[in-house]
Amino acid sequence: MKNLGLRVRLLLFFSGISCIVWLVSGAVSLRESREKVDGFFDQYQMLLARQLASADWSKAVPGAQKSTNRIIDRVRGADEEDEAIGFAVFDAAGRRIFHDNENGGDFIYRPRLGRFVEQRVDGEKWRIVWIASADGKYTIAVGQELEYREETALDIAEEFLYPWLGGLLVLLTASIWFIGREFVPLRRLAAGLERRSPKDLSPLDDTLLPREIKPLTSAINRLLVQVDDMVRREKSFIADSAHELRSPLTALKVQLEVLQLSENDPDARHSAVAKMEQGIERCARLVEQLLMLSKLENATVPASEEKIDWHRLAETVIEEYRPLMEKKGQQFQSDIGEGGPVGQGNSLLLSALLRNLIDNAVRYSLPPAQITLTVAADRIEVVNTVARRTKQYLPRLGERFFRPAGQKESGSGLGLSIVKKIAALHGCRTEISADGGVFSVIVAPL
């Protein structure tokens, strides 16, 4: 059943329910007809029995039966259905003294006065009522064949059901047409989707669709918008990545050519090798940042939830950058509390957040800079003095691949973008400010 289409299932279900209702109605109608027919004919039998009981049967002579039969036979237009009812009159000794011309002559004297009983007459079931005459000397039996009653009840039920059967056929025909008509917009929508190009992510037109289907098309349209946005971001990411990788790769190619041409010049070879090492390091860092940003672009929740040890994370990152800070003559201070703005999250991502914040401060601070890291329950803050950045660049800091003009330090322009992504995944916001040569980045809960 599940393999059938929705339209076929609806038609089968509706047709089945309609037929069942029709059959149940027929059964109920037949039962009601039987009850009505039994009630009517029981009253008719009782009325006839009372009339016969009030007659004076003491004057009945043996020849009266034959005379009465001849009179009845001469009556024209007699209904054949009258054969389904009969009566007989018995005396006190059980002798039949009078009966109708057809069936009463076969009645067997088994009186059960004042009651309707079912007895067999000539092999057929009859319903007979037995009563005593007015003078109490005779017994009257009036009966009717039960098969006739059944046929009458069936005729009445058929008269009721045949019009309804015609109406049922009309209703089913109309249902088939209507359901097929209502599915036309869905078939049109499916055909449009089949013809649509994979590059076409425009919203679906749901103006002609039923109201019940519009929530589905609205959800699909929202998904198409998200997919279109994701595709645009992926294209932009790939284009920007290719552009950023082109510069260091070109520089590496140039240094390789210099290295090949300076076989007899040790100083030139040494300089080319050093620059190649710097270029390779820059490429490696750029690829690492690109991979992390690519993972963060489509992430919606942290990959894992664990309790964050901010002391351990901060100390690990600080020790990693301490040699570079000493080399550049920078002073570093830290104030790490018992907890941070995120209690549970992805420790690897949060470690990358701290690493990018400190890396950003170390690389772009002029000596002698003072760098301060604060980790508290309400914020993570990195402040560095004698910063290179100016206020005019603040609105664009955090954009992918954006680097302020005049930078001499190598970098990818992805550090603060990664910080923003990781912070957003953990329900935090990022604030960047610069005032009087002091540059600060704050990560705080929303």
Side-chain angles (χ1 to χ4, degrees):
M1 188 70 175
K2 293 182 179 180
N3 295 329
L4 300 176
L6 178 60
R7 177 171 175 267
V8 176
R9 281 185 287 162
L10 285 175
L11 291 174
L12 290 178
F13 176 79
F14 188 75
S15 301
I17 292 296
S18 300
C19 292
I20 291 174
V21 170
W22 182 78
L23 291 175
V24 172
S25 300
V28 173
S29 175
L30 180 59
R31 186 186 67 180
E32 295 292 329
S33 298
R34 284 172 176 169
E35 292 179 356
K36 296 296 183 182
V37 167
D38 285 341
F40 172 78
F41 283 117
D42 283 350
Q43 290 182 359
Y44 177 73
Q45 285 180 242
M46 184 59 69
L47 179 61
L48 178 59
R50 287 176 179 174
Q51 291 176 345
L52 292 173
S54 64
D56 184 7
W57 296 104
S58 61
K59 297 180 181 180
V61 296
Q65 179 71 59
K66 295 181 180 181
S67 300
T68 303
N69 291 343
R70 287 195 297 269
I71 293 173
I72 294 175
D73 290 339
R74 289 198 295 267
V75 176
R76 294 182 179 181
D79 194 346
E80 294 181 357
E81 293 180 352
D82 288 343
E83 296 180 359
I85 196 167
F87 69 89
V89 181
F90 298 90
D91 59 14
R95 294 190 298 269
R96 186 183 300 104
I97 64 171
F98 197 81
H99 61 84
D100 67 307
N101 191 30
E102 293 293 336
N103 302 303
D106 297 325
F107 284 6
I108 300 174
Y109 184 68
R110 294 175 184 171
R112 301 181 68 177
L113 297 179
R115 296 181 60 184
F116 281 92
V117 295
E118 292 186 5
Q119 295 179 348
R120 286 196 170 272
V121 177
D122 195 19
E124 302 291 338
K125 281 187 177 183
W126 282 64
R127 183 172 174 82
I128 302 175
V129 60
W130 296 83
I131 63 173
S133 63
D135 56 10
K137 295 180 180 180
Y138 301 93
T139 301
I140 312 299
V142 179
Q144 187 177 39
E145 189 178 357
L146 290 179
E147 183 180 354
Y148 175 75
R149 291 193 177 191
E150 184 69 22
E151 291 176 355
T152 303
L154 286 174
D155 289 341
I156 295 174
E158 288 175 0
E159 293 294 329
F160 171 78
L161 288 177
Y162 279 150
W164 279 98
L165 178 59
L168 176 63
L169 294 177
V170 173
L171 178 62
L172 292 178
T173 303
S175 300
I176 293 172
W177 173 82
F178 182 76
I179 292 176
R181 175 178 174 272
E182 289 300 306
F183 271 81
V184 169
L186 292 178
R187 292 198 294 269
R188 188 181 297 119
L189 177 64
L193 287 174
E194 289 181 356
R195 293 192 301 269
R196 178 176 286 215
S197 168
K199 296 181 180 180
D200 185 5
L201 297 175
S202 59
L204 302 176
D205 183 12
D206 60 356
T207 53
L208 299 178
L209 291 177
R211 183 175 58 184
E212 292 77 9
I213 304 298
K214 288 188 177 181
L216 175 61
T217 55
S218 298
I220 293 176
N221 285 338
R222 288 194 296 270
L223 179 61
L224 288 175
V225 171
Q226 294 174 358
V227 172
D228 186 48
D229 181 63
M230 183 184 69
V231 170
R232 291 177 185 275
R233 286 189 283 111
E234 291 294 335
K235 288 181 179 179
S236 175
F237 180 79
I238 292 172
D240 293 342
S241 300
H243 176 74
E244 290 297 320
L245 283 170
R246 186 180 296 115
S247 296
L249 290 176
T250 302
L252 286 175
K253 184 178 180 180
V254 171
Q255 296 303 323
L256 179 60
E257 292 175 354
V258 172
L259 185 61
Q260 292 173 342
L261 295 174
S262 58
E263 295 181 357
N264 300 321
D265 188 347
D267 293 335
R269 289 175 60 85
H270 179 75
S271 176
V273 169
K275 290 181 179 180
M276 287 186 67
E277 289 178 352
Q278 293 177 359
I280 292 172
E281 181 182 355
R282 181 187 175 189
C283 284
R285 179 169 176 76
L286 177 59
V287 170
E288 180 183 352
Q289 296 283 65
L290 287 173
L291 290 174
M292 175 168 287
L293 186 60
S294 177
K295 293 178 181 179
L296 294 174
E297 283 289 344
N298 299 318
T300 56
V301 293
S304 63
E305 292 285 343
E306 56 185 296
K307 188 175 181 180
I308 303 302
D309 185 350
W310 287 103
H311 258 289
R312 182 179 62 82
L313 290 184
E315 290 296 335
T316 301
V317 175
I318 291 170
E319 290 301 318
E320 181 180 341
Y321 281 90
R322 194 177 298 277
L324 181 58
M325 287 185 286
E326 293 177 353
K327 180 180 178 180
K328 298 184 69 171
Q330 298 168 338
Q331 300 295 320
F332 184 82
Q333 291 183 350
S334 61
D335 181 12
I336 304 172
E338 292 298 327
V342 179
Q344 287 188 328
N346 189 308
S347 60
L348 293 177
L349 293 180
L350 292 172
S351 177
L353 180 143
L354 288 176
R355 184 176 295 106
N356 278 279
L357 285 175
I358 296 178
D359 181 84
N360 190 71
V362 171
R363 286 180 180 273
Y364 301 106
S365 295
L366 297 172
Q370 176 71 42
I371 301 174
T372 304
L373 170 64
T374 302
V375 178
D378 61 341
R379 74 190 191 284
I380 299 173
E381 183 177 10
V382 176
V383 178
N384 55 299
T385 61
V386 199
R388 297 175 185 269
R389 302 174 180 84
T390 60
K391 288 186 177 181
Q392 62 179 321
Y393 298 119
L394 285 181
R396 299 197 60 189
L397 292 179
E399 294 182 10
R400 294 183 309 184
F401 304 107
F402 174 74
R403 301 182 68 218
Q407 294 291 339
K408 296 182 180 180
E409 290 287 339
S410 63
S412 60
L414 296 175
L416 290 178
S417 178
I418 291 174
V419 168
K420 284 188 172 182
K421 292 287 185 182
I422 296 175
L425 285 175
H426 289 83
C428 296
R429 69 182 189 279
T430 305
E431 299 177 2
I432 304 174
S433 62
D435 187 17
V438 178
F439 184 82
S440 67
V441 180
I442 300 175
V443 176
L446 292 174

